DNA sequence: TTCTCAGT
């Protein structure tokens, strides 16, 4: 390892890493020629010597250099430790102005950044703190937080303390209990007492007296079933906020409409749907669940209609732009993303609507609520003033939220709020093979497919290469020929992007057959199917939402015309990079959309991520025909059979149930 | 291994 690093090296690394705002790569390379190789050389006069730099730009570059000082200091530390200067941008973002000081105080805070390994943090520590020790309590504390952060990626909001202890031991920490206590005292991590178990021999729970001694003892004892749980403070607090605020809304709600007016809008609804309407208008928080085609949206439309008639203020929202757009179309009432509703502030993560400036709706309806993570739900609930009625609509059998938490499932499990489950299928023929298979999978069964009319076809494949060839064959030949469903009405859905049966390769193969061309305009040709990968709801005349699938119908000067199902959109400028080829899309992105024909690919490399919700979500995208290209072997049946192959560890259901008992 | 959302 290099013991000393010169100022020139730090400066060069800083410039090359793109940390100087406004300084391009080209200009960065020209700095030495202008006599600028250290920070002291940076003056407006010298910057003026750069090609294509005038007085005004020179002054601006000078002041932006000064404002980048925090990042510069961090680069010095990183480069000195042999780490990549590029990390500095993230460090400055995460740790703020005094990032360098904070790293000097505790080099292991580096571990909080994405893509940083414990080895990287250790290297920084050795460079900064001569004689740094693996047993340093700051190191242990960072590993505790890191362990919890990693679990977060699988959706967990808490971990049993003994799992964290095991992770600490695996990193060579000799006193894991001390590390846990240090993490808790640092405020980044919370400890939660084990659930009270009336059958336990010892009715006295461990004393938690703020000294940390109770938990320390339990950690030393290494858990067992009654072990303490640990959470990152942000998620632990978010779950508590959800539980408290659900209880608050339940306690403060007053009925909005009388039974007579409920009946007046319930004409086209079945009994369960009408009951749901009544419940929404009575309870502070209520849930409406059910699979695709059971009439959730119809019910919401009826509620909106009734509330509008009564002059009540209704706010409609959904976790994704596309779901919001669809909700708006179905109800004929404005709908926005939950983030928009709450006035999200950007990367800082704050919301302008909160307790101080709450929403002013009488009723808030959130569709696709299975996609709500704990933090967003907490923010939503906190922004609902006393007396607001909140309705969450969703299907707990579909994919869970990307962010941590299991909000919809926990709300259902807790029995803390009324739930109406719609079960009668209206969209598909009830006896149809797709509906039968979907219902079976929802219940954890994978029966052999019996579909002589070929509504469902299973195509076995021995590997992902063969699977990919089968997909192309199905879309371009078999499905149109045997079933009369044109390729334009067929959507390919796969769990992954990468690999021979991922979206990238499948799209290449499908384009070659369906719309060959060089992609001369921004990588696309007229006739290409595209999918949006971000929201651009402000484009003319209507904009598009992430996940929408459309077809390129024309190209202009710096623009593409794309026909989405909601209408043609002229796509220009910064919206162009947010389009990709869309013949094949991921299951995640397909959530919330349906097509006449769907080809689901299950390649072997997706075996680890297969789960009942993923399979269920994939196959319920099909309206008339479903082909399943099956190359994942026994993993499929296992994924469907087990309640959840990868259950999320959360605390919300218990918190809600406790809140109800106490209230 | 999936990748929602937001502003400048």
């Amino acid at each position: 390892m290099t013991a000393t690093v010169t100022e020139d090296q730090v400066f060069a690394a800083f410039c090359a890493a793109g940390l100087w705002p406004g300084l391009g790569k080209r200009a960065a390379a020209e700095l030495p020629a202008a006599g600028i190789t250290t920070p002291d050389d940076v003056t407006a006069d010298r910057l003026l010597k750069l090609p294509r730099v005038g007085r005004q730009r020179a002054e601006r570059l000078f002041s932006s250099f000064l404002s980048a000082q925090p990042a510069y200091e961090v680069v010095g530390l990183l480069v000195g430790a042999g780490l990549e200067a590029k990390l500095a941008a993230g460090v400055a973002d995460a740790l703020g102005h005094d990032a360098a000081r904070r790293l000097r105080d505790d080099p292991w805070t580096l571990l909080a950044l994405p893509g940083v390994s414990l080895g990287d943090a250790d290297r920084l520590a050795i460079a900064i703190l001569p004689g740094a020790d693996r047993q340093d309590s700051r190191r242990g504390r960072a590993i505790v937080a890191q362990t919890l952060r990693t679990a977060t990626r699988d959706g967990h909001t808490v971990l049993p303390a003994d799992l964290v202890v095991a992770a600490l031991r695996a990193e060579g920490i000799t006193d894991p209990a001390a590390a846990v206590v240090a993490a808790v005292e640092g405020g980044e991590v919370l400890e939660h007492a084990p659930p009270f178990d009336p059958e336990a021999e010892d009715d006295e729970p461990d004393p938690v007296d703020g000294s940390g001694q109770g938990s320390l003892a339990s950690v030393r004892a290494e858990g067992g079933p009654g072990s303490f749980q640990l959470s990152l403070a942000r998620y632990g607090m978010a779950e508590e906020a959800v539980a408290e605020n659900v209880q608050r809304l339940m306690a403060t709600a007053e009925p909005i409409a009388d039974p007579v007016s409920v009946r007046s809008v319930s004409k086209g609804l079945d009994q369960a749907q009408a009951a749901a309407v009544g419940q929404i208008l009575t309870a502070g928080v209520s849930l409406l669940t059910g699979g695709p085609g059971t009439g959730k949206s119809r019910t919401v439309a009826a509620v909106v209609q009734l509330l509008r008639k009564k002059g009540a203020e209704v706010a409609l929202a959904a976790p994704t732009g596309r779901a919001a757009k669809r909700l708006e179309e179905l109800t004929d009432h404005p709908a926005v993303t939950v983030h928009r509703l709450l006035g999200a502030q950007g990367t800082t993560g704050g919301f302008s609507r909160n307790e101080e400036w709450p929403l002013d709706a009488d009723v808030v309806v959130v569709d696709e609520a299975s996609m709500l993570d704990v933090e967003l739900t907490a923010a939503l609930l906190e922004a609902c003033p006393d007396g607001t009625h909140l309705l969450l609509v969703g299907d707990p059998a579909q994919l869970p939220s990307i962010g941590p938490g299991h909000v919809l499932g926990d709300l259902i499990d807790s029995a803390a709020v009324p739930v109406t489950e719609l079960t009668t299928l209206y969209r598909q023929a009830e006896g149809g093979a797709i509906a039968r298979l979907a219902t079976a999978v929802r219940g954890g069964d994978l029966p052999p497919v019996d579909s002589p009319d070929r509504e469902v076809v299973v195509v076995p494949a021995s590997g992902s290469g063969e699977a990919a060839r089968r997909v192309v064959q199905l879309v371009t030949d078999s499905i149109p020929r045997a079933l009369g469903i044109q390729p334009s009405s067929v959507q390919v859905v796969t769990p992954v992007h990468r690999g021979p049966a991922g979206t990238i390769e499948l799209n290449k193969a499908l384009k070659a057959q369906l719309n060959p061309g060089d992609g001369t305009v921004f990588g696309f040709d007229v006739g290409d199917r595209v999918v949006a990968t971000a929201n651009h709801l402000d484009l003319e005349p209507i904009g598009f939402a992430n996940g929408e699938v459309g077809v390129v119908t024309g190209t202009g000067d710096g623009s593409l015309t794309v026909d989405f199902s909601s209408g043609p959109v002229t796509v220009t400028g910064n919206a162009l990079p947010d389009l990709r080829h869309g013949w094949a899309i991921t299951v995640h992105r397909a959530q919330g959309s349906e097509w006449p024909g769907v080809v689901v690919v299950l390649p072997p490399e997706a075996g680890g991520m297969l789960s009942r919700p993923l399979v269920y979500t994939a196959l319920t995208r099909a309206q008339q025909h479903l082909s399943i290209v099956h190359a994942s072997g026994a993993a499929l049946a296992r994924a469907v059979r087990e309640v959840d192959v990868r259950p999320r560890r959360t605390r919300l259901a218990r918190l809600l149930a406790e809140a109800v008992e106490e209230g």
Side-chain angles (χ1 to χ4, degrees):
Chain A
M1 187 177 297
T2 49
T4 50
V5 175
T6 66
E7 197 62 50
D8 291 35
Q9 285 171 307
V10 173
F11 185 75
F14 169 79
C15 297
L19 295 165
W20 184 340
L23 185 81
K25 266 215 175 91
R26 239 164 97 193
E30 287 157 347
L31 286 171
I36 305 175
T37 58
T38 72
D40 293 337
D41 301 334
V42 180
T43 62
D45 285 339
R46 285 216 184 85
L47 287 165
L48 198 49
K49 290 186 194 151
L50 290 170
R52 300 172 308 280
V53 171
R55 170 58 62 182
Q56 204 186 7
R57 175 133 191 260
E59 308 248 329
R60 229 183 280 144
L61 278 173
F62 181 62
S63 73
S64 74
F65 177 74
L66 294 181
S67 70
Q69 281 315 293
Y72 189 91
E73 278 186 71
V74 173
V75 169
L77 295 176
L78 294 174
V79 171
L83 296 169
E84 289 217 32
K86 264 186 280 175
L87 283 174
V91 175
D93 281 352
L95 303 181
H97 285 302
D98 56 347
R101 186 187 59 74
R102 290 180 59 183
L103 280 184
R104 268 187 221 105
D105 287 350
D106 180 354
W108 286 284
T109 50
L110 190 69
L111 205 50
L113 276 111
V116 173
S117 68
L118 182 58
D120 292 339
D122 284 342
R123 252 202 280 177
L124 183 66
I126 290 164
I128 289 179
L129 310 168
D133 179 6
R134 313 183 70 198
Q135 303 301 333
D136 191 304
S137 72
R138 289 167 291 188
R139 183 171 186 265
R141 187 172 80 179
I143 296 171
V144 171
Q146 175 74 347
T147 304
L148 292 166
R149 224 176 286 121
T150 304
T152 279
R153 274 183 238 134
D154 289 326
H156 308 299
T157 56
V158 289
L159 278 185
D162 49 354
L163 281 188
V164 178
V165 165
L168 288 160
R169 288 240 157 85
E171 295 297 352
I173 303 295
T174 49
D175 188 355
V180 171
V181 169
V184 171
E185 280 171 357
E188 199 183 351
V189 168
L190 298 178
E191 59 180 337
H192 310 287
F196 176 69
D197 180 2
E199 295 188 8
E201 296 263 320
D202 179 10
D203 274 358
E204 298 267 313
D206 281 330
V208 189
D209 55 9
S211 68
Q213 295 308 305
S215 65
L216 189 57
S218 101
V219 169
R220 287 230 161 92
E222 276 196 55
S227 166
F228 271 71
Q229 290 181 313
L230 298 170
S231 70
L232 286 177
R234 54 187 286 195
Y235 300 120
M237 291 193 302
E239 286 197 309
E240 280 160 19
V242 170
E244 278 166 28
N245 285 288
V246 162
Q247 198 194 14
R248 173 178 62 87
L249 292 181
M250 290 296 282
T252 55
E254 289 182 14
I256 296 181
D258 55 282
V260 178
S261 47
V262 171
R263 236 173 284 137
S264 74
V265 292
S266 301
K267 271 171 220 141
L269 303 180
D270 69 22
Q271 219 177 350
Q273 293 167 347
V277 175
Q279 203 161 68
I280 294 152
L281 299 166
T282 316
V285 179
S286 55
L287 307 182
L288 179 58
T289 67
T294 53
K296 297 192 296 292
S297 303
R298 262 176 81 77
T299 311
V300 171
V303 173
V304 171
Q305 191 200 334
L306 170 63
L307 291 166
R308 263 206 210 144
K309 231 187 276 175
K310 302 201 72 82
E313 204 58 49
V314 191
L316 300 184
T320 68
R322 189 162 36 95
K325 212 172 165 183
R326 212 196 33 199
L327 182 62
E328 181 167 303
E329 286 160 10
L330 286 165
T331 55
D332 197 25
H333 186 89
V336 292
T337 62
V338 177
H339 283 85
R340 277 265 168 109
L341 181 72
L342 299 177
Q345 306 279 300
T347 40
T348 50
F351 295 97
S352 61
R353 309 309 292 259
N354 48 33
E355 276 159 288
E356 275 100 69
W357 187 36
L359 299 169
D360 48 16
D362 302 301
V363 178
V364 175
V365 179
V366 179
D367 199 0
E368 298 287 1
S370 58
M371 299 182 188
L372 285 175
D373 62 45
V374 251
E375 282 193 310
L376 187 58
T377 310
L380 174 69
L381 284 157
E382 279 167 354
C384 289
D386 287 359
T388 308
H389 289 241
L390 174 67
L391 169 65
L392 300 179
V393 184
D395 184 356
Q398 294 199 37
L399 286 167
S401 59
I402 303 266
H406 187 232
V407 175
L408 185 61
D410 284 352
L411 277 164
I412 294 169
D413 294 346
S414 72
V417 301
V419 183
T420 306
E421 185 184 3
L422 303 179
T423 52
T424 312
L425 272 180
Y426 292 99
R427 205 173 304 159
Q428 279 122 350
E430 181 124 32
I434 296 172
R436 280 204 310 272
L437 182 61
T439 307
V441 168
R442 196 182 170 90
D445 232 4
L446 191 65
V449 168
D450 171 29
S451 181
D453 54 356
R454 288 185 286 191
E455 186 177 312
V456 178
V457 171
V458 177
V459 181
S462 60
S464 47
E466 192 194 340
R469 288 190 293 278
R470 293 273 176 238
V471 169
V472 176
Q473 188 184 24
L474 282 161
V475 175
T476 61
D477 181 37
S478 320
I479 294 176
R481 195 160 41 83
L483 300 159
I485 302 175
Q486 293 313 302
S488 58
S489 300
V490 178
Q491 182 64 52
V492 177
V493 162
T494 168
V496 290
H497 286 300
R498 281 187 257 174
T503 59
I504 298 165
E505 288 304 316
L506 285 173
N507 275 317
K508 273 191 206 154
L510 288 160
K511 172 157 173 73
Q513 291 296 312
L514 293 168
N515 196 39
D518 315 324
T520 42
V521 189
F522 307 108
F524 300 106
D525 296 300
V526 170
D528 278 358
R529 190 187 302 185
V530 293
V531 60
T533 58
N535 288 338
H536 287 278
L537 297 160
D538 301 328
L539 286 172
E540 290 305 320
I542 184 158
F544 60 80
N546 191 354
E548 276 194 278
V549 174
V551 174
V552 177
T553 55
T555 58
D557 188 19
S559 75
L560 289 176
T561 308
V562 178
D563 249 18
F564 289 105
S565 59
S566 49
V569 181
T570 305
V571 185
T572 55
N574 66 350
L576 284 164
D578 294 325
L579 293 176
R580 304 225 178 117
H581 280 128
W583 287 285
I585 64 177
T586 59
V587 180
H588 280 83
R589 197 152 272 154
Q591 192 170 17
S593 297
E594 293 175 16
W595 293 268
V598 167
V599 177
V600 174
V601 200
L602 301 171
E605 59 268 27
M609 69 177 295
L610 286 186
S611 65
R612 190 192 297 177
L614 184 127
V615 175
Y616 178 76
T617 303
L619 57 89
T620 49
R621 302 306 95 209
Q623 292 166 333
Q624 296 166 30
H625 170 76
L626 170 68
S627 283
I628 300 170
V629 179
H630 177 24
S632 53
L636 175 61
R638 190 180 57 97
V640 170
R641 216 178 301 116
E642 288 175 25
V643 177
D644 198 334
V645 189
R646 338 172 56 195
R648 293 185 167 200
R649 297 175 195 271
T650 64
R651 211 162 49 101
L652 180 57
R654 197 183 103 208
L655 289 172
L656 282 162
E658 284 171 1
V660 169
E661 269 171 44
E662 287 160 19

